[in-house]
Amino acid sequence: MRTKSLKKNKINVVTLGCSKNVYDSEVLMGQLKASGKDVVHEEEGNIVVINTCGFINNAKEESVNTILEFMQKKEEGDVDKVFVTGCLSERYKPDLQKEIPNVDAYFGTTELPHLLKALGADYKHELIGERLTTTPKNYAYLKIAEGCDRPCSFCAIPIMRGKHRSTPIEELVVEAEKLAANGVKELILIAQDLTYYGLDIYKKRNLAELLEALVKIEGIEWIRLHYAFPTGFPMDVLDVMNRESKICNYLDIPLQHISDSILKSMRRGTTKEKTTKLLKEFRTAVPKMTIRTTLIVGYPGETEEDFEILKQWVTDMRFERLGCFTYSHEENTHAYNLEDDVPEDVKIDRANQIMEIQSQISWELNQEKIGQTYRVVIDRKEGNYFVGRTEHDSPDVDNEVLIDATKTYLKTGEFSTVKIIEAEDFDLYGEVIV
């Protein structure tokens, strides 16, 4: 016997995918709270909103499986309503409605007001920066733009997120000030493309000016840059990075490949020579910069020679941080017209080879850190260790610093001076310098 009428309406927001989705869920939760709704993040609730990812095959599978899981709970009477939003819903709404019709409603990435209405809430335009953050209290994502104008052949993001739209500096400052007032000390700037910031509303690349405004905010101690496109990168950002201690010597710049033939097919607008020159300019301008990149292997037409060029380049460039993905053949992208001709097992083997090279590089670079001292922020306690990061490390994807919790007590969200005493491939062990 269902007991729907006896349940209190608690809305559970479930987030899948990237940091942009985390941000969107936090905005949704802030709007719901402002309308007096009882809202939680990935806890028990009789109304469920699933914020999906539709980027590559693995992410799409996870999103579909999560929808099916909650539909089962709805069948069993444990959940009353299920709503689906986000990139998968934006991209495949007709298919989803046909295949999983018992979902109460599907919403795209730009339909927040309609989703709120379905949840019995009003969209409040005045809520600049009013979010319920779901990250540890010391850091938060700050989305400075939405959408993307780049023509990359493999990417479906413009299909799901639309054209590039920058958020005005003054709005971002208000949002950052509210985050700082709530105890946030680190801002992680995100967008589909930081490089393009400002072109649409200021008619120039304006990331440097935004950074100049953000560093003035009291309480913010670190500002980190994620997802910058290499072509057209505004070099004045490096001047600000050198001048302002709050801006982390860190840049996430997805390069995807380095073979000229693959870069051309990917429509990246650059070459091996130009990319290598850009990275050398970065390192000359900011000698202490940590560069994080991501690569794609198994792209259509990637030959053994193309892959060997990529391997040698990774070996030569010695990136501090690197991730590698296998190519995913995505409908309605330019590359979908090409034959997906690299076998899956070859894709996986190539990705593993790249990560083996990177693991060795990371181990060697980390050995050089032994005996060095760093300013470390503590994100959490895990088992017998406090787990923190240096300015050269982003949450969830980079190195972590582990400090023995049986010897030292530290507060989450606080900064400490830590001496590195041991190092592995992707973990550092340290002790607090009093």
Side-chain angles (χ1 to χ4, degrees):
M1 181 85 181
R2 288 179 64 105
T3 57
K4 180 176 178 179
S5 61
L6 300 178
K7 287 183 180 177
K8 183 183 178 186
N9 282 336
K10 181 183 284 189
I11 301 169
N12 174 23
V13 177
V14 177
T15 307
L16 304 169
C18 67
S19 54
K20 274 83 79 180
N21 265 18
V22 171
Y23 179 94
D24 292 345
S25 288
E26 292 174 349
V27 170
L28 167 64
M29 292 167 67
Q31 289 276 349
L32 288 169
K33 185 182 178 185
S35 284
K37 299 297 180 180
D38 187 2
V39 58
V40 294
H41 188 247
E42 298 183 357
E43 297 177 20
E44 290 295 319
N46 65 306
I47 299 172
V48 178
V49 179
I50 306 169
N51 190 1
T52 58
C53 178
F55 186 44
I56 56 176
N57 286 334
N58 289 346
K60 289 187 282 189
E61 286 175 17
E62 182 187 18
S63 292
V64 169
N65 288 338
T66 302
I67 297 169
L68 292 173
E69 175 190 329
F70 279 102
M71 293 316 298
Q72 182 66 32
K73 290 184 177 183
K74 185 180 177 184
E75 290 288 322
E76 293 168 357
D78 296 326
V79 167
D80 291 329
K81 290 187 177 182
V82 177
F83 299 95
V84 175
T85 186
C87 289
L88 188 81
S89 187
E90 174 73 31
R91 191 173 176 193
Y92 297 108
K93 187 188 290 187
D95 295 333
L96 289 167
Q97 288 171 329
K98 182 180 176 183
E99 297 295 328
I100 316 176
N102 291 342
V103 166
D104 289 270
Y106 290 94
F107 298 92
T109 55
T110 60
E111 296 182 301
L112 177 59
H114 301 297
L115 171 57
L116 288 167
K117 186 175 180 181
L119 294 167
D122 295 321
Y123 178 67
K124 301 183 186 301
H125 292 273
E126 69 275 13
L127 292 182
I128 296 176
E130 297 292 341
R131 290 155 50 196
L132 285 185
T133 55
T134 58
T135 50
K137 65 179 182 179
N138 50 290
Y139 70 84
Y141 296 109
L142 184 67
K143 187 161 71 169
I144 70 170
E146 181 59 276
C148 187
D149 286 357
R150 304 289 185 177
C152 303
S153 66
F154 53 84
C155 186
I157 284 174
I159 300 168
M160 299 180 286
R161 294 281 180 172
K163 301 285 281 182
H164 179 96
R165 305 179 301 284
S166 301
T167 301
I169 290 175
E170 56 271 22
E171 289 185 21
L172 292 169
V173 168
V174 169
E175 187 169 347
E177 286 173 341
K178 290 179 179 177
L179 290 169
N182 288 328
V184 169
K185 298 176 181 178
E186 177 181 2
L187 296 175
I188 302 175
L189 270 55
I190 58 172
Q192 264 69 46
D193 178 11
L194 292 183
T195 304
Y196 214 83
Y197 177 78
L199 269 176
D200 53 329
I201 54 177
Y202 301 115
K203 308 309 174 192
K204 63 175 181 173
R205 300 180 193 274
N206 222 19
L207 181 57
E209 189 174 328
L210 170 62
L211 293 174
E212 295 276 20
L214 293 176
V215 296
K216 295 173 184 173
I217 297 172
E218 191 173 341
I220 298 300
E221 299 193 41
W222 280 356
I223 300 172
R224 187 178 303 281
L225 304 179
H226 267 222
Y227 318 122
F229 195 89
T231 307
F233 184 85
M235 300 301 279
D236 55 349
V237 167
L238 304 182
D239 297 332
V240 183
M241 189 178 283
N242 269 328
R243 190 168 63 249
E244 299 289 349
S245 60
K246 286 186 177 184
I247 301 175
C248 296
N249 291 311
Y250 181 101
L251 182 64
D252 184 322
I253 185 160
L255 298 171
Q256 313 304 5
H257 214 282
I258 203 60
S259 165
D260 284 341
S261 62
I262 298 297
L263 287 172
K264 184 176 181 180
S265 183
M266 284 182 166
R267 304 167 85 188
R268 295 288 287 172
T270 189
T271 62
K272 179 183 178 183
E273 182 182 355
K274 288 179 181 177
T275 302
T276 304
K277 180 174 180 284
L278 179 68
L279 295 173
K280 287 180 179 176
E281 288 174 356
F282 284 172
R283 296 204 187 283
T284 300
V286 187
K288 295 182 179 179
M289 182 192 287
T290 287
I291 298 176
R292 175 176 182 82
T293 194
T294 48
L295 303 173
I296 296 171
V297 292
Y299 180 85
E302 184 189 59
T303 63
E304 198 61 45
E305 182 184 359
D306 293 321
F307 179 61
E308 288 300 323
I309 291 170
L310 181 63
K311 275 173 61 178
Q312 187 59 52
W313 187 73
V314 169
T315 301
D316 294 342
M317 294 308 298
R318 293 178 68 78
F319 290 101
E320 289 82 3
R321 311 283 181 263
L322 183 147
C324 188
F325 299 90
T326 56
Y327 170 76
S328 179
H329 209 43
E330 297 296 317
E331 304 98 327
N332 299 317
T333 62
H334 187 77
Y336 196 68
N337 299 316
L338 305 175
E339 183 186 352
D340 187 12
D341 57 356
V342 181
E344 193 63 29
D345 60 334
V346 175
K347 291 179 184 178
I348 293 168
D349 179 62
R350 288 178 180 177
N352 288 338
Q353 287 186 57
I354 293 292
M355 291 314 298
E356 282 175 20
I357 295 169
Q358 183 59 31
S359 179
Q360 180 65 27
I361 292 169
S362 184
W363 185 85
E364 291 169 4
L365 293 175
N366 280 351
Q367 297 309 301
E368 296 172 6
K369 294 180 171 66
I370 295 174
Q372 303 290 321
T373 58
Y374 293 90
R375 190 169 185 238
V376 171
V377 67
I378 305 303
D379 283 335
R380 66 187 187 280
K381 184 173 183 290
E382 200 170 276
N384 290 326
Y385 289 99
F386 288 104
V387 182
R389 293 175 291 111
T390 72
E391 72 168 292
H392 303 288
D393 300 290
S394 203
D396 300 325
V397 292
D398 291 333
N399 287 356
E400 292 180 328
V401 181
L402 284 71
I403 301 157
D404 192 338
T406 64
K407 296 179 180 177
T408 310
Y409 176 75
L410 298 170
K411 283 186 176 180
T412 301
E414 296 297 317
F415 288 86
S416 296
T417 302
V418 176
K419 181 179 180 180
I420 304 304
I421 56 174
E422 188 182 338
E424 296 176 354
D425 299 12
F426 300 108
D427 282 323
L428 303 169
Y429 294 84
E431 57 186 19
V432 175
I433 304 298
V434 180

